[in-house]
Amino acid sequence: MEDGDDEEVVRLGQNNLALNEGLETGGWRSVRKRPAPGHSFGGGIGAEAANYVCVEEGLEMAGTEWKKGKPQVRVVEVVDYVPAEEGLETAGMPWKTKGKPQNRVDEQGKEENLEKKQAEKIGKVTLSMQQLQVLKAIAQGKSVFVTGSAGTGKSFLVEFAIRVLNRIHGADSVFVTASTGLAACAIGGTTLHSFAGVGLGVGSKESLATKVLSRRESKKRWMKAQALVIDEISMIDGEFLDKLDYVGRTVRASSGKQKPFGGLQLVVTGDFFQLPPVKPENEKKYFAFEADCWSRCFDLQIELTHVFRQSDQDFVALLNEIRKGVCSPPTLSKLHGCTGPVGDQGIIPTRLYPHKVDVGRENDHNLRSLGRELVTFTAKDEGKSDFAIRLLENVRAVKLLSLCIGAQVMLVKNLDTEIGLVNGARGIVVRFSQEEDPLAPEAKDTMRFVSPSGVWPVVRFACDGLERVVRPESWSVLEGNTEIAKRTQVPLILAWALSVHKCQGMTLDRVETDLSKAFDYGMVYVALSRIRSLDGLQLIGFDPSRIKVHSKVVSFYDKLGKQK
Ligand SMILES: Nc1ncnc2c1ncn2[C@@H]1O[C@H](COP(=O)(O)OP(=O)(O)OP(=O)(O)O)[C@@H](O)[C@H]1O
């Protein structure tokens, strides 16, 4: 059979790494569904390939079509190859959806004719090798714990992990959760407590299991689940994790009594050097990694090392010091030198406060001081129950948003990551516009509800200085793949001030902060690691004694490092 015969060609994506261990960058391969005469599928290849990603033509975000069923494919040729970027330990991985085959792989998997320089990056997403390793493990049904310093792409990876899990288990069996409502809403999930149906989790593990068994909906969720995602694990305590493990094993006794969480595939992410659980520190099993079940829960525990948020390696090194509770004289002197960034496009830095009350006061004061007419936008909340609607209080977009011309605002949704219109992008309201959204005529009622006068804020964003009309966006709270609540609101919040808790998970370009009142573990690190570069930081009254790192966290990471 000749190349190009009538076999259907599918393209396998990053997980071809598995087929191709020696190949540093993975790369694309075009594969055939049937072996050519005289060739058979190697057991390893077939077995791996059966699970692998197939990118659809034109899919911008790294295709994640999963091919299930029997081993059917044989690698024929690489259709794309992008070498690791210089100095990038993690080897960038392109997602390419079209273009001519450029490289070939022979039967042994060796590459010929690598035209690296001509490799053209068409796809938009490049995953680090470690990120790929995680997806590969998930695709193999493994439970993983993904950690790493701020900005290493843990949350970014969660989005891909969910797609992979959905393909394996079906979306209605994948439950996406996080420790806090804020973090949960950011990934379209619910809190871990809410998934578990154990209220605040107070009481013995036996009483919580009885509670779940007695509630039809809670029991159904546990029984239906095949995979559980938990983001921002640092804020979950070990005692609670052990209780959930017990509940899982009890409620799902028929499918996995002996297995952690009753046999659920776990994808857990977070950085224990960031914010800790909100509970008294002296309790035993304060951190999740102290849970008795912890080491049994995971097949793979990995610390991502390539930082995406900051490109300045000196700044990355400085942040790594602070993360571990160190503040060397050069670091201190650099931080003391952060006396003040100039505003960008007339937009002043956002002040980060350790305490929430300071945030409300500052934003309110600044808004009123502008002395302009306020325009208010009301979120449209829809939900299956009062309880579901209450979950919307955790959405970053607020119920009532009052703005006026000159208001300093921040996006709370990724609108266009390519140009920097991301969660945390800041701007200033320059006017209000009455333009209708040509794309959303069917959503007229919702639009009217959010803005009865039909006007929308026009914001000049710091990322590119361009003005854009900002129209409502939606946030869903999902249980499995069922939407239980939805908020539609203009995706902006006031941004003169923000709390350190609220900024966890965000990327900010300009920050002013007085961390002299930082009180919790990881707080200084979380605040400083939000910004992309030191030029964007104005630090007032920096006190290195406020850098708090828990010794248990340090030893946990020491051990993790040694396991590598
Ligand atoms: N593979 C990638 N390619 C391009 N950008 C990436 C990649 N991974 C992450 N990023 C970007 O890096 C930034 C930080 O990522 P992300 O917020 O997921 O990091 P994180 O590890 O969850 O950080 P934190 O611990 O601070 O919440 C984001 O702007 C994200 O879009």
Side-chain angles (χ1 to χ4, degrees):
M1 192 175 290
E2 298 293 318
D3 275 0
D5 267 359
D6 62 352
E7 298 168 357
E8 188 182 347
V9 173
V10 293
R11 290 197 176 152
L12 296 186
Q14 85 278 17
N15 299 57
N16 287 334
L17 282 172
L19 313 180
N20 187 28
E21 293 299 354
L23 234 191
E24 209 180 276
T25 50
W28 283 100
R29 289 157 176 232
S30 140
V31 297
R32 293 176 186 285
K33 281 193 167 174
R34 281 174 278 135
H39 298 286
S40 61
F41 299 130
I45 287 179
E48 297 277 15
N51 280 328
Y52 287 124
V53 174
C54 162
V55 169
E56 282 174 2
E57 290 289 333
L59 232 195
E60 205 177 82
M61 280 296 287
T64 42
E65 270 305 304
W66 287 78
K67 189 164 169 47
K68 279 191 166 166
K70 285 196 184 153
Q72 292 161 326
V73 295
R74 179 176 73 90
V75 175
V76 178
E77 60 196 5
V78 172
V79 294
D80 181 21
Y81 183 95
V82 174
E85 280 170 40
E86 288 300 321
L88 224 191
E89 180 204 314
T90 46
M93 167 61 205
W95 294 86
K96 181 159 181 170
T97 54
K98 54 188 169 185
K100 281 193 181 163
Q102 294 158 335
N103 309 313
R104 296 189 70 83
V105 178
D106 66 18
E107 289 299 310
Q108 282 76 46
K110 280 202 191 132
E111 298 171 39
E112 302 163 9
N113 188 26
L114 293 179
E115 296 171 31
K116 297 184 186 177
K117 293 222 168 89
Q118 288 171 20
E120 188 189 359
K121 194 165 136 191
I122 293 179
K124 300 263 166 79
V125 176
T126 305
L127 295 178
S128 72
M129 284 297 275
Q130 288 179 315
Q131 287 176 324
L132 293 178
Q133 188 188 346
V134 171
L135 289 187
K136 177 182 149 191
I138 295 171
Q140 291 167 341
K142 291 184 177 163
S143 286
V144 297
F145 166 56
V146 185
T147 186
S149 54
T152 46
K154 299 180 294 296
S155 305
F156 183 87
L157 193 55
V158 164
E159 191 189 318
F160 288 87
I162 295 169
R163 293 199 217 168
V164 171
L165 292 170
N166 286 348
R167 285 297 295 185
I168 300 174
H169 301 292
D172 56 352
S173 298
V174 177
F175 286 79
V176 178
T177 72
S179 52
T180 66
L182 201 67
C185 280
I187 51 172
T190 56
T191 60
L192 182 59
H193 287 74
S194 153
F195 158 78
V198 294
L200 294 173
V202 181
S204 67
K205 58 186 184 182
E206 291 82 6
S207 69
L208 296 184
T210 309
K211 193 173 189 173
V212 171
L213 285 167
S214 67
R215 291 182 180 169
R216 210 168 64 90
E217 282 303 311
S218 311
K219 184 178 168 196
K220 201 166 116 194
R221 270 198 307 276
W222 275 100
M223 295 304 291
K224 203 169 168 191
Q226 295 294 327
L228 179 63
V229 175
I230 310 174
D231 197 12
E232 305 283 13
I233 186 75
S234 68
M235 297 183 78
I236 298 285
D237 66 86
E239 175 110 39
F240 183 62
L241 204 70
D242 269 339
K243 286 178 182 173
L244 291 195
D245 171 48
Y246 179 83
V247 169
R249 284 186 288 114
T250 308
V251 178
R252 297 166 54 84
S254 53
S255 52
K257 190 168 175 54
Q258 304 310 326
K259 298 182 191 155
F261 281 70
L264 296 184
Q265 184 180 3
L266 298 172
V267 174
V268 174
T269 62
D271 177 13
F272 288 109
F273 281 111
Q274 297 187 36
L275 301 180
V278 185
K279 69 177 269 188
E281 188 201 324
N282 53 9
E283 290 195 20
K284 66 177 182 62
K285 299 201 253 181
Y286 181 54
F287 291 104
F289 57 74
E290 294 182 85
D292 297 329
C293 67
W294 181 266
S295 55
R296 276 184 286 114
C297 279
F298 305 108
D299 305 297
L300 172 71
Q301 298 194 47
I302 184 169
E303 187 173 5
L304 304 180
T305 51
H306 180 71
V307 176
F308 287 90
R309 184 173 290 135
Q310 292 91 11
S311 53
D312 172 356
Q313 292 310 307
D314 288 345
F315 186 34
V316 170
L318 180 153
L319 288 174
N320 275 335
E321 261 194 27
I322 303 280
R323 179 172 183 252
K324 297 194 170 145
V326 179
C327 189
S328 65
T331 290
L332 190 60
S333 115
K334 267 190 201 149
L335 290 175
H336 277 149
C338 294
T339 45
V342 280
D344 224 2
Q345 318 274 351
I347 304 160
I348 58 170
T350 295
R351 279 201 182 145
L352 288 189
Y353 285 103
H355 295 279
K356 207 161 79 179
V357 286
D358 297 324
V359 173
R361 202 178 35 231
E362 170 120 9
N363 278 333
D364 216 44
H365 169 77
N366 279 296
L367 186 70
R368 310 233 166 245
S369 324
L370 290 171
R372 312 249 193 164
E373 191 187 340
L374 296 181
V375 180
T376 298
F377 302 91
T378 309
K380 176 149 189 200
D381 290 349
E382 298 154 88
K384 286 194 161 180
S385 63
D386 289 349
F387 171 74
I389 288 190
R390 273 205 305 279
L391 294 175
L392 293 170
E393 285 164 17
N394 294 307
V395 169
R396 278 192 205 270
V398 290
K399 179 78 186 157
L400 285 179
L401 172 70
S402 291
L403 299 175
C404 68
I405 293 174
Q408 176 145 322
V409 289
M410 177 179 287
L411 259 184
V412 285
K413 186 145 197 174
N414 290 339
L415 296 187
D416 189 338
T417 43
E418 276 289 286
I419 52 170
L421 287 182
V422 292
N423 203 350
R426 297 161 343 107
I428 202 156
V429 177
V430 289
R431 64 197 147 83
F432 291 90
S433 150
Q434 196 116 31
E435 288 167 49
E436 290 220 350
D437 182 355
L439 297 175
E442 75 288 352
K444 265 202 168 102
D445 288 351
T446 304
M447 299 296 215
R448 281 269 170 270
F449 185 93
V450 177
S451 170
S453 58
V455 299
W456 306 111
V458 178
V459 175
R460 192 176 71 241
F461 284 96
C463 56
D464 57 6
L466 297 180
E467 295 178 5
R468 291 176 184 85
V469 181
V470 183
R471 297 193 178 84
E473 293 283 328
S474 290
W475 288 258
S476 296
V477 177
L478 299 178
E479 236 180 48
N481 66 344
T482 311
E483 183 181 85
I484 56 168
K486 182 165 99 170
R487 168 167 288 181
T488 307
Q489 172 64 297
V490 172
L492 296 171
I493 56 171
L494 294 176
W496 282 285
L498 195 68
S499 73
V500 174
H501 273 95
K502 242 195 174 153
C503 78
Q504 193 171 18
M506 279 184 151
T507 302
L508 302 169
D509 51 8
R510 291 274 186 272
V511 161
E512 176 191 320
T513 185
D514 176 354
L515 293 172
S516 59
K517 288 191 209 148
F519 55 90
D520 219 340
Y521 289 106
M523 215 166 207
V524 170
Y525 174 61
V526 168
L528 296 181
S529 60
R530 297 309 97 198
I531 39 166
R532 289 185 199 278
S533 86
L534 268 186
D535 306 341
L537 176 67
Q538 180 171 7
L539 202 50
I540 302 160
F542 181 65
D543 174 359
S545 71
R546 294 285 166 167
I547 305 172
K548 268 182 91 183
V549 174
H550 205 293
S551 57
K552 284 180 180 173
V553 173
V554 175
S555 36
F556 171 74
Y557 279 90
D558 280 349
K559 274 193 211 133
L560 196 62
K562 285 186 191 130
Q563 279 168 21
K564 270 183 208 162

